[in-house]
Amino acid sequence: MVTNPLIITCPVVGAELSKEDYPDLATTPEEIAESARGAVEAGASIVHLHVRDEEGKPTQRMDVFAEVTEKIRGRCECVIQYSTGGAVGTPLGQRCAPLKLKPDMATLSMGTMNFGPDIFENSETTIRAISKAIQENGVMPELEIFDYGMMDTVDRFLEKGFIPERFHVDFVLGVPGGMSGDIRNLVLLRERLRAGQTWTVGGLGRFQLPLSAHAIAMGGHVRVGIEDNIYYQKGALAQSNAQLVERVARIAEELDRTVASVKEAKEMLGL
Ligand code: KMH
Ligand code: ZN
């Protein structure tokens, strides 16, 4: 029997939210590590990491990434994936800074887009620079795909050797300015993948739950957490990252997918 355990990624805090949006947002290293531990206990095997400075503002400072990483590693085993996206407007040099800590994985966003009212800048020059830094540090990239044309960029960059042959793919759908979380979009995007390519889908806001369920049924993997969606149900805030992860783990079980252990996730991703 072919098994395909479900890899759950939890984006614990993100860079665009504040305590005004979500009062329980984890911002200190302790809080972020504790929220990550809860998510991992609930079934997440990958933690997608952004960190905050002493004032709770998003930062790409290496020392803060190091502290949070150490605290997470002290609490649980998991794959740690650093964001190189940072917050909208974070300069390129800062975005790459934490890669020197050689996390298990790091994100690589595949194009510039409107991101709500702002611009998330990922020019060809930027993507190539981040890709180079990722490779120089021996880190496994996760390509972040926010829109259909970004798949053409993936093909073109592969042909030119700007990105490595081995990567994981994450479709992030529902960002205002990117592709919506309509299931038809996911079906179109998945058709663009090479045979055997591992992929995850993360839905923003109201798209998180239906996209998670479809990804499980389609044999993909799921990203679920507060960075992408602060609600458990319409009008009701999620209690925690763990609560969102637990629901996905329950749905997976009903759909006959086991939830991947960290060891299984690493094997499947070639880490
Ligand atoms: N904060 C977004 C603008 C990533 O983590 O690499 C970008 C982002 C993607 O969150
Ligand atoms: Zn992120």
Side-chain angles (χ1 to χ4, degrees), residues 14-16 48 50 82-88 107-109 115 120 144 146 223 227:
E16 314 305 328
H48 168 77
H50 291 259
Y82 287 179
S83 168
T84 65
V88 280
T107 57
L108 179 60
S109 293
F115 204 97
F120 182 30
E144 307 298 301
F146 295 88
R223 167 168 144 155
E227 173 173 346

Side-chain angles (χ1 to χ4, degrees), residues 230-256:
I230 60 175
Y231 293 102
Y232 189 74
Q233 281 163 342
K234 193 173 165 58
L237 290 176
Q239 283 166 14
S240 60
N241 278 295
Q243 189 193 29
L244 293 170
V245 173
E246 273 163 14
R247 175 165 59 186
V248 166
R250 281 198 305 276
I251 297 169
E253 207 171 294
E254 287 296 327
L255 293 176
D256 221 7

